[in-house]
Amino acid sequence: MISSTLAAPTSATGRLRGRCRGTAPLPGRLAPWIQRWLQAAPLAELVARFGSPLNLLCTDPMRENIEELQQAALACDSTLDIYFARKSNKCLTFVDRALACGIGVDTASEHELRQSLRAGLSSEKLVCTAAVKSESLVDLCLAPPAGHAEAGAGDEARAEGRSAGIVIAVDNTDELQLVSARARQLGRRAAVAIRLGGFHHQGRKLRTRFGFDVDRDTDLVERLGELPVDVQGIHFHLDGYDAGQRVTAIRESVRWAQCLRRRGHAVSFVDMGGGIPMSYLEDQRSWQEFRRRLELALCGRGSPITYQNHGLGLSCRQGKVEGQLRCYPYYQAVVRAAWLSSILQAECGRTGRTIAGLLRERELHLRCEPGRSLLDGCGATVARVEYRKQNADGEWLIGLAMNRTQCRTSSEDFLVDPLLIPARGAGDDRGQPAMAGYLVGAYCAEGDLISWRKLHFPAGVQRGDLLIFPNTAGYLMHFLESRSHQLPLATNLVVAAAEGPGFEVAVDAIDTLEARSNVLV
Ligand SMILES: *Cc1c(COP(=O)(O)O)cnc(C)c1O
């Protein structure tokens, strides 16, 4: 399914795409603003001024992605409270946009939480799902400073005997004890969601390192009895993108919610975490063809399409392909709204009853914490070509002022064709010979390839050209970025007016904060 953030590529964009593509091409989806920027924005000047690589950010597609999910829920007669998973991009512009759109923010550290509070989010619009929670983070959740929006609301909640804090997704027994101890110390009750894991789906237990185990920790409901905690919700976050697994987990969560209610907890929501799928690629064919060509190459039945025939998780033994492609599924047929609808409309229990119906019946609100899928279309990374050279095998390497941590997640590779903008003044007829090679980065390591894929440049590539990696806002810019070699981090430029005639930008406030120090602000 193609989302509304897409416009049909213009012929100018088609020309752009033609200048750089993989041996098995993987043309990416391009949001309208990035198409406009690629054609006319003074990118070379911006890179000259702010350095390479340069991250461009635009929050307009985020609003569309939010509305798409909200409308899907509405159509299923379901409530949906969205909490944007901040760890997917560090820029504060997305926190501001979340606030403006009336959604919440899911925070994964004390810095993320403090910054979100300072941006003006109120306690009930925040959730803390940090994998490790320090005492001071717990204290902050228990007693957040009252913001403008909620002056008085906290007092009201406390007068009614409810906790006024930020919901903490509690992951394990030690954490539960820490939260309880700090709550006693501060004379408060903690607002928590119980994180569950280890669900049974289609006869198999879903493995995870997170959460209380649905089989082993069944005594938890009793153990909670004497503790100063109010369980407000059940939380889970599953690996992968399987809608059926979410259906299973929601049903089990509803069961736990009912158990907890019988013990006096006012459970009001089920939080299904993130992992809402998106597609980076224009079409399914290119994705299937890429896989086919990769497998042929690995089995020696086609020429390599990756550096030194890298398998990206796959390998070939006795003519058979083994292993898993360790990459995000860059094309997925069912994304965002359609995926959410399939969960809400899934039948469960009695005939005819859906997940949406079950949640309604039990008076449970559905929450989710999408990161990547909300940032679909919201960013691009621009890097400058610094050199071309041949390696010992005679293969061409194209050196970028960038390193692999600046466009990478836990995936083995970013499987989208970059776009090439020739150095200023040079057109497609610049008389450069066609060439093919690999993009390499600034780290002094054999493995610092920006992408393992072999790329073709029909009109050549040279020093001063720009390569643009599209749709990098979700995780790719920041999740792994490092300052190794004392190379500065990329500047984050927020595109001020996506639609207007100009090309105004502002440096995101996170860059100033990070430059200042490591002190919590
Ligand atoms: C990472 C994470 C998310 C966001 O996941 P996406 O795949 O970006 O949607 C949400 N909730 C929790 C608890 C997470 O760890």
Side-chain angles (χ1 to χ4, degrees), residues 98-364:
L99 178 69
C101 289
I103 66 163
V105 176
D106 161 29
T107 59
S109 73
E110 187 172 352
H111 281 279
E112 283 193 3
L113 183 53
R114 282 193 190 277
Q115 291 161 6
S116 304
L117 280 163
R118 279 168 54 102
L121 281 131
S122 58
S123 302
E124 68 271 20
K125 290 291 189 190
L126 289 163
V127 59
C128 171
T129 61
V132 172
K133 301 178 183 79
S134 67
E135 217 169 272
S136 77
L137 171 58
V138 170
D139 285 1
L140 182 61
C141 292
L142 290 170
H148 298 297
E150 55 182 337
D155 300 336
E156 200 178 293
R158 275 189 289 277
E160 290 171 15
R162 286 183 289 124
S163 39
I166 292 161
V167 170
I168 305 170
V170 177
D171 175 82
N172 60 68
T173 300
D174 275 354
E175 207 167 272
L176 183 61
Q177 265 154 17
L178 169 68
V179 168
S180 307
R182 295 310 304 161
R184 278 197 201 97
Q185 182 78 31
L186 299 176
R188 307 244 171 166
R189 291 185 67 80
V192 306
I194 297 295
R195 181 157 181 174
L196 293 180
F199 301 100
H200 290 272
H201 182 71
Q202 296 181 339
R204 183 171 72 89
K205 193 166 168 71
L206 302 180
R207 287 186 176 159
T208 174
R209 78 178 177 96
F210 292 105
F212 291 94
D213 188 78
V214 292
D215 299 320
R216 200 181 47 235
D217 293 312
T218 45
D219 62 335
L220 177 64
V221 179
E222 258 166 61
R223 281 195 277 137
L224 284 163
E226 307 91 59
L227 303 177
V229 298
D230 296 331
V231 181
Q232 299 190 352
I234 305 293
H235 178 265
F236 62 84
H237 170 71
L238 307 179
D239 214 23
Y241 309 95
D242 188 286
Q245 292 182 2
R246 269 71 182 184
V247 171
T248 298
I250 290 172
R251 292 183 67 178
E252 181 70 14
S253 298
V254 170
R255 228 176 48 75
W256 279 69
Q258 292 296 90
C259 271
L260 283 156
R261 281 170 165 175
R262 284 195 287 274
R263 301 278 172 143
H265 292 276
V267 182
S268 64
F269 67 83
V270 170
D271 186 337
M272 63 187 284
I276 298 179
M278 62 167 274
S279 271
Y280 288 87
L281 302 179
E282 286 251 284
D283 61 69
Q284 185 163 30
R285 268 180 304 112
S286 65
W287 183 234
Q288 289 167 339
E289 179 63 9
F290 171 79
R291 172 80 186 227
R292 194 182 72 81
R293 295 281 298 272
L294 180 64
E295 293 189 0
L296 284 176
L298 294 178
C299 293
R301 285 185 264 127
S303 50
I305 67 168
T306 52
Y307 193 62
Q308 293 169 0
N309 218 4
H310 195 295
L312 308 177
L314 300 177
S315 59
C316 186
R317 211 168 61 170
Q318 289 161 359
K320 280 189 72 113
V321 176
E322 294 181 341
Q324 297 258 322
L325 195 64
R326 279 196 303 270
C327 290
Y328 187 81
Y330 282 81
Y331 180 87
Q332 298 183 85
V334 182
V335 300
R336 249 185 327 268
W339 183 87
L340 180 65
S341 303
S342 78
I343 293 170
L344 290 171
Q345 289 169 355
E347 282 201 19
C348 66
R350 284 192 262 110
T351 33
R353 187 173 63 182
T354 60
I355 286 287
L358 172 68
L359 292 167
R360 245 188 341 262
E361 219 170 84
R362 302 284 188 247
E363 295 181 17
L364 287 165

Side-chain angles (χ1 to χ4, degrees), residues 485-507:
H485 306 36
Q486 285 298 292
L487 291 165
L489 296 178
T491 299
N492 295 288
L493 284 189
V494 179
V495 170
E499 300 294 332
F503 295 101
E504 287 147 57
V505 290
V507 176

